[in-house]
Amino acid sequence: MNTSNITNYKPKDFAELVGVSVKTLQRWDREGILKANRTPTDRRYYTYDQYLQFKGINNEDDTRETVIYARVSTRNQKDDLKNQTEFLKQFCNARGIIVNQCMEDYGSGLNYNRKKWNALLDMVMEQKVKTIVISNKDRFIRFGYDWFEKFCQKFHTNILIVNNEALSPNEELVQDIISILHVFSCRLYGLRKYKNQIREDEEIAKELQNGNKSDAGADADHP
């Protein structure tokens, strides 16, 4: 089974993906250059296969890998990581998807320096990955998923999301929120400290100015 068939695009998203306007897609559809698919309610959509065809990539000759990517925040969650990986393997097996590699990562979804995640992105840029299979978006990245999805698409890599919320522990989300609050609290504290320092410097400057004025007055009284 070809996993790329699972991903469908609305005309607006597909137009952005291939770098043309929606009006151009509509014209291509009318002229038979790139025919849109239709839903039962007659809404237009495009598939990942159409994107590859537009880019001149032959699916039958595509030897790139399908990679499962699983992540938890800490090594104390080894069992959760194992369950996540096994679920994704079963999901792929049930759909006839051949998995070439499983990548298991430790680290917060806010961390852009995860070792396996960076290695996966390197593989994407090297045109070695056809499909990335994840349980849900925050396993890949907590914030900014849409940007990274478009980044992968630029290298003709599709991300298949299973959307199993049970594999995304709420505790991790709480930890990430606490981390964000901590960062901003530190910044606010630093800003307040900076403002206090400025205020103290201004007070010192005023005292020096007043002292200089007093000295100048005393000199004037005693020529």
Side-chain angles (χ1 to χ4, degrees):
M1 177 180 177
N2 193 333
T3 59
S4 58
N5 289 322
I6 298 173
T7 300
N8 296 330
Y9 301 94
K10 295 178 180 179
K12 180 181 178 181
D13 296 330
F14 193 77
E16 184 177 351
L17 186 63
V18 300
V20 300
S21 67
V22 174
K23 288 185 177 180
T24 297
L25 284 183
Q26 293 172 344
R27 178 170 58 82
W28 286 352
D29 186 26
R30 290 193 304 269
E31 297 175 357
I33 298 173
L34 182 60
K35 295 293 292 183
N37 299 285
R38 301 277 178 171
T39 67
T41 56
D42 204 35
R43 291 184 178 274
R44 292 182 301 124
Y45 71 92
Y46 296 85
T47 66
Y48 186 70
D49 279 343
Q50 287 178 297
Y51 169 68
L52 293 180
Q53 291 169 8
F54 179 84
K55 291 292 186 178
I57 299 174
N58 190 338
N59 256 343
E60 295 180 357
D61 299 330
D62 193 350
T63 59
R64 294 175 300 156
E65 295 186 352
T66 294
V67 180
I68 283 177
Y69 178 80
R71 178 192 66 80
V72 291
S73 288
T74 67
R75 295 190 178 275
N76 294 330
Q77 299 171 293
K78 285 184 178 180
D79 291 340
D80 292 336
L81 184 61
K82 181 179 179 181
N83 291 337
Q84 189 181 146
T85 301
E86 287 303 315
F87 173 82
L88 293 174
K89 285 181 179 179
Q90 292 173 11
F91 175 88
C92 291
N93 288 337
R95 287 158 180 78
I97 301 170
I98 299 175
V99 176
N100 303 101
Q101 188 175 166
C102 293
M103 302 184 77
E104 296 182 338
D105 220 351
Y106 292 97
S108 168
L110 301 173
N111 182 7
Y112 284 24
N113 290 320
R114 281 172 276 139
K115 184 176 180 179
K116 296 291 182 66
W117 187 68
N118 278 283
L120 179 58
L121 292 181
D122 285 342
M123 290 173 62
V124 169
M125 289 187 287
E126 292 167 1
Q127 304 276 0
K128 294 180 179 178
V129 181
K130 176 174 63 176
T131 305
I132 300 171
V133 185
I134 56 177
S135 60
N136 45 55
K137 292 180 180 180
D138 65 10
R139 296 300 87 196
F140 194 69
I141 193 72
R142 180 68 73 182
F143 299 113
Y145 171 83
D146 290 343
W147 188 93
F148 284 100
E149 181 183 43
K150 291 180 180 178
F151 171 82
C152 289
Q153 289 170 350
K154 294 295 184 182
F155 295 95
H156 318 305
T157 299
N158 179 43
I159 302 179
L160 174 57
I161 307 170
V162 179
N163 272 330
N164 189 316
E165 297 299 331
L167 297 177
S168 179
N170 291 330
E171 291 80 0
E172 289 193 27
L173 177 59
V174 173
Q175 290 175 4
D176 287 343
I177 292 174
I178 291 174
S179 298
I180 293 171
L181 291 174
H182 176 71
V183 169
F184 279 98
S185 295
C186 290
R187 290 182 179 178
L188 290 173
Y189 172 76
L191 183 60
R192 286 196 298 269
K193 184 177 180 181
Y194 182 67
K195 287 181 177 178
N196 290 337
Q197 185 63 48
I198 292 175
R199 190 178 298 111
E200 291 174 4
D201 291 345
E202 289 176 345
E203 291 174 356
I204 292 172
K206 288 180 180 178
E207 289 178 3
L208 290 174
Q209 290 175 356
N210 292 334
N212 289 337
K213 289 179 181 178
S214 298
D215 292 341
D219 292 340
D221 294 336
H222 300 84

